Amino acid sequence: MNQVFDNELFEAFANASDNIYIYVTDIATDVTRWSKKAVEFFNLSGEYLTGVKDMWPMYIHPDDVAIYVADITAVFNGTSTQHNCQYRVRNRYGEYVWVECRGSIIFDSDGMPSVFAGIMTRLDNQNKYDALTHQLSGYELFRYDIHESGSLMLIGIDKLRTLNSRYGNLYGNRVIAYLAKVLQKAAGHMTLYRYWGGDFVVYGKNVETQEMIATFKKAFAACNEVEQDSDLANFVISAGIVGFSKYDSMSTLMRRAEMAMAYAKRNNASHVCVYTEEIEKQQLRRSRISEDLIRSIQNNFEGFYLVYQPLMSNDGDEVCGCEALLRWKPGDASIGSCYPGEFIEILEENGGIKEVGSFVMRETIRQQADWSKRYKKFYSSFNVSYLQMEDPEFIPSILKTCKEFDVDPENIVMELTESVLARDTVMVKKSFEMLRDGGIRIALDDFGTGNSSFWTLHNISVDIIKLDQSFVRGLDASDEKIDYAIVESVALMCKLIGCHTVAEGIENEEVWKCVEKYKFSSLQGYHFSRPIPLGEFEVFLQNHAMGL
Ligand code: C2E
Ligand code: CA
Ligand code: CA
């Protein structure tokens, strides 16, 4: 038995830490013993190895080999007694991790080098725990080998980016730290990881998805009551849950959990969703659409075009303007048809809406320039997403485009929904002043569908109110007094405040008859025309342009 390696001290040091590996080389035989944890982590061929000095460079990152060789050669040729350098080594997962390796030569009683011994410290493991929340880091999650069944939950803060930009990153960090505490309590015996940003993972060995949902609900309620025991404002969280067996890989689970979470954020009022194959199918369609939309944008907006729906005068006989509505023909035939209700949301998610929104604005103004030459009073309106309003360049660019095409801004209307208007009053008010100074009119779209319609009217002066089609469309089949009362009172209110009104959703003759008596300023709906391509719209215009 080799006394150099096989002693209790070696065992004791070898087991002392997960971060530190130890090694001892018997110089006479050139055999090195490594601690078992190193053998496992680096996938070495055994605990006892011969010729390590020459074998080790195969594990070292090519860029760091020279540093290692120079240092270790100096030790073994007697120029130095200390090995001390940092380099990257490939572990059993094929990843390179930084290590610091230190060692010394021990001399025998004759002054000859007999033993080379030292420690290797893993520097990556210093990041095992996240500094902000003191939870296991996301990196650790992917190290975990699944040997059981259970469920996993990806859970995170909604709109963290908005919180950060509104109140500062330090505030955002405090919210994240708060959520970590809440989750630690709610997760009980389960393992908690801080995955990334405001997202955490709760890993539940042998935990059913139902139990995981209950955990979510506990955490959700706690985040809703933050105000009571801190100076933070309440915040909202969402989660995706996935059940697993020992045959699943962590990357598959996380992909599924992310899909479920994205779905929960979009569609699920309870903010939590358990992964199903159907969700995966929907999510795959969304990613396919998202990729194709980006390709379209990069190819000079290939596939995007506008259709126009007439806005009729209050007697329904004459055209007074149009609403430009966006259409998109996907390049990827497997997508099939894709309507604005679907692709606009995806553009808002993938960031493409700013570019596409500018395309819509420019196309609308360019086309209006042509109509303005023939019909002095005709106007065009286009839709604007809330994300476009966050871009300080957007409003100036509208005014610039009007100038470029020599269009009177009075003939351009911007349609915004109340959720946009209620967002950030200071910013919105500033944008509005600019628009108003420039002469562009603002329409409040889908009036009545949000939860702040009157608040919006009270705070922001708009030029046009478009009563949402959901109040109008079904009037012909409704016996409900309230439906008529809503339409009548909105019409009356607009008259009192001197606001131009549009009734949307006049689908047919019957609806038109129901609405006619309320004297809206303008009317829009399938009864007059569906949104139609430019050529068809020109014909419609010629036939209905008496008042222009
Ligand atoms: P919206 O702004 O409320 O546009 C009116 C929608 O109602 C249009 O649907 C139009 O086709 C439909 N519509 C018009 N008359 C009737 C009717 O009588 N009955 C019924 N059932 N529907 C009617 P579309 O074109 O599918 O657009 C859907 C939504 O997509 C729009 O709602 C708007 O929110 C958004 N959108 C469309 N184009 C753009 C755009 O260029 N930019 C942005 N940000 N959003 C757009
Ligand atoms: Ca609209
Ligand atoms: Ca609308």
Side-chain angles (χ1 to χ4, degrees):
M1 185 153 113
N2 190 326
Q3 283 298 310
V4 175
F5 309 132
D6 298 314
N7 57 53
E8 284 163 357
L9 269 181
F10 188 99
E11 300 292 342
F13 283 127
N15 291 321
S17 161
D18 284 342
N19 268 354
I20 293 174
Y21 306 124
I22 67 166
Y23 58 88
V24 176
T25 306
D26 179 355
I27 293 180
T29 58
D30 198 19
V31 173
T32 303
R33 181 180 180 190
W34 279 90
S35 54
K36 269 205 196 88
K37 291 188 183 196
V39 175
E40 261 171 37
F41 187 65
F42 296 116
N43 206 15
L44 304 177
S45 51
E47 256 183 283
Y48 296 89
L49 299 166
T50 309
V52 169
K53 177 165 64 71
D54 303 318
M55 170 208 87
W56 200 233
M58 290 191 300
Y59 289 80
I60 298 181
H61 192 284
D63 293 350
D64 302 342
V65 168
I67 298 172
Y68 168 79
V69 170
D71 199 88
I72 200 80
T73 309
V75 172
F76 279 87
N77 68 17
T79 342
S80 164
T81 52
Q82 296 288 325
H83 171 49
N84 180 1
C85 68
Q86 293 190 354
Y87 51 84
R88 284 161 287 181
V89 194
R90 198 178 57 242
N91 68 10
R92 70 193 192 105
Y93 304 103
E95 310 154 336
Y96 282 102
V97 293
W98 280 99
V99 297
E100 181 179 79
C101 193
R102 290 178 174 230
S104 313
I105 298 277
I106 300 169
F107 297 90
D108 64 15
S109 50
D110 301 328
M112 296 301 290
S114 67
V115 171
F116 175 60
I119 60 171
M120 178 181 278
T121 309
R122 262 173 64 189
L123 301 178
D124 68 307
N125 239 10
Q126 289 166 349
N127 295 328
K128 184 167 181 168
Y129 292 96
D130 164 56
L132 174 65
T133 64
H134 311 299
Q135 301 303 322
L136 285 164
S137 67
Y139 194 56
E140 288 301 307
L141 179 69
F142 286 97
R143 289 252 169 81
Y144 185 84
D145 283 329
I146 302 168
H147 293 299
E148 59 269 321
S149 56
S151 62
L152 174 149
M153 169 162 71
L154 173 65
I155 182 166
I157 301 161
D158 286 8
K159 302 199 175 89
L160 179 63
R161 200 166 59 95
T162 315
L163 281 184
N164 280 333
S165 60
R166 195 165 289 173
Y167 304 114
N169 282 13
L170 284 180
Y171 182 90
N173 280 355
R174 288 177 55 219
V175 176
I176 294 169
Y178 193 93
L179 177 60
K181 273 196 204 143
V182 164
L183 289 176
Q184 205 176 13
K185 203 165 155 202
H189 62 280
M190 297 184 252
T191 316
L192 180 62
Y193 296 83
R194 179 179 178 201
Y195 180 54
W196 185 78
D199 291 348
F200 291 79
V201 166
V202 180
Y203 183 89
K205 242 186 228 185
N206 304 320
V207 169
E208 300 278 333
T209 49
Q210 281 310 315
E211 193 184 329
M212 206 49 114
I213 293 176
T215 305
F216 172 80
K217 285 185 178 160
K218 259 192 254 168
F220 187 85
C223 296
N224 230 346
E225 290 165 4
V226 178
E227 276 171 3
Q228 290 169 15
D229 62 6
S230 77
D231 56 346
L232 300 171
N234 288 345
F235 61 94
V236 176
I237 54 173
S238 299
I241 293 175
V242 55
F244 60 82
S245 75
K246 63 181 176 186
Y247 303 108
D248 287 313
S249 76
M250 194 58 88
S251 52
T252 306
L253 291 185
M254 285 310 295
R255 197 172 55 79
R256 290 178 177 169
E258 293 204 10
M259 285 189 227
M261 187 196 210
Y263 187 88
K265 282 192 182 171
R266 268 202 320 278
N267 304 318
N268 202 317
S270 64
H271 291 271
V272 60
C273 172
V274 178
Y275 165 86
T276 61
E277 279 181 11
E278 180 53 35
I279 286 177
E280 172 147 10
K281 233 165 81 189
Q282 281 186 29
Q283 207 60 34
L284 284 178
R285 175 172 166 85
R286 279 180 83 85
S287 354
R288 197 171 285 163
I289 292 173
S290 178
E291 276 166 30
D292 204 30
L293 283 167
I294 288 168
R295 185 203 49 79
S296 284
I297 295 170
Q298 286 166 349
N299 284 348
N300 203 18
F301 301 100
E302 184 191 44
F304 286 106
Y305 60 99
L306 296 182
V307 290
Y308 303 88
Q309 188 173 31
L311 296 160
M312 306 301 287
S313 59
N314 67 354
D315 54 12
D317 292 334
E318 298 164 22
V319 181
C320 47
C322 73
E323 177 174 358
L325 291 154
L326 185 61
R327 295 291 179 266
W328 176 60
K329 190 173 181 315
D332 176 350
S334 71
I335 292 172
S337 318
C338 186
Y339 294 98
E342 187 173 21
F343 72 73
I344 284 175
E345 195 186 285
I346 298 175
L347 283 171
E348 286 176 343
E349 204 175 272
N350 72 16
I353 192 69
K354 284 190 185 168
E355 287 165 87
V356 177
S358 289
F359 165 84
V360 170
M361 179 271 289
R362 201 177 160 77
E363 278 300 293
T364 306
I365 296 176
R366 194 182 57 74
Q367 183 53 50
Q368 172 64 33
D370 184 33
W371 286 326
S372 281
K373 286 183 206 131
R374 282 175 280 157
Y375 310 107
K376 287 284 164 261
K377 285 194 246 161
F378 184 88
Y379 67 91
S380 294
S381 76
F382 66 99
N383 295 280
V384 173
S385 154
Y386 70 97
L387 288 168
Q388 291 171 266
M389 292 297 280
E390 282 178 3
D391 176 5
E393 295 300 311
F394 183 60
I395 308 286
S397 74
I398 305 176
L399 298 168
K400 231 166 81 191
T401 311
C402 283
K403 253 203 194 109
E404 182 187 336
F405 289 105
D406 197 21
V407 165
D408 183 350
E410 296 278 339
N411 291 332
I412 295 294
V413 173
M414 230 172 92
E415 297 195 10
L416 289 159
T417 58
E418 60 198 66
S419 59
V420 183
L421 300 177
R423 246 178 137 71
D424 179 355
T425 29
V426 179
M427 205 251 323
V428 169
K429 273 186 173 159
K430 223 163 124 193
S431 303
F432 275 28
E433 273 165 29
M434 272 171 85
L435 282 172
R436 185 136 303 132
D437 290 348
I440 300 220
R441 284 183 295 162
I442 295 149
L444 179 48
D445 203 358
D446 302 346
F447 183 76
T449 54
N451 48 21
S452 52
S453 307
F454 288 102
W455 182 92
T456 309
L457 280 187
H458 178 72
N459 282 280
I460 289 158
S461 63
V462 297
D463 305 284
I464 300 166
I465 288 177
K466 297 186 78 173
L467 177 61
D468 188 64
Q469 49 177 289
S470 56
F471 299 104
V472 178
R473 220 165 44 201
L475 272 189
D476 56 327
S478 170
D479 298 327
E480 298 287 339
K481 273 197 191 131
I482 181 74
D483 293 346
Y484 285 90
I486 290 171
V487 176
E488 184 172 1
S489 55
V490 170
L492 182 65
M493 177 190 70
C494 291
K495 214 169 282 160
L496 290 174
I497 60 176
C499 200
H500 189 96
T501 45
V502 181
E504 297 185 320
I506 317 268
E507 279 199 339
N508 50 45
E509 181 81 33
E510 290 70 39
V511 177
W512 169 219
K513 276 193 186 126
C514 301
V515 174
E516 196 176 6
K517 58 178 172 289
Y518 300 120
K519 296 283 174 238
F520 281 84
S521 326
S522 318
L523 309 158
Q524 180 177 5
Y526 294 168
H527 173 58
F528 307 106
S529 165
R530 289 186 172 252
I532 43 181
L534 183 62
E536 276 177 57
F537 189 79
E538 289 282 8
V539 176
F540 189 93
L541 200 50
Q542 277 160 24
N543 295 334
H544 298 82
M546 297 79 90
L548 291 169

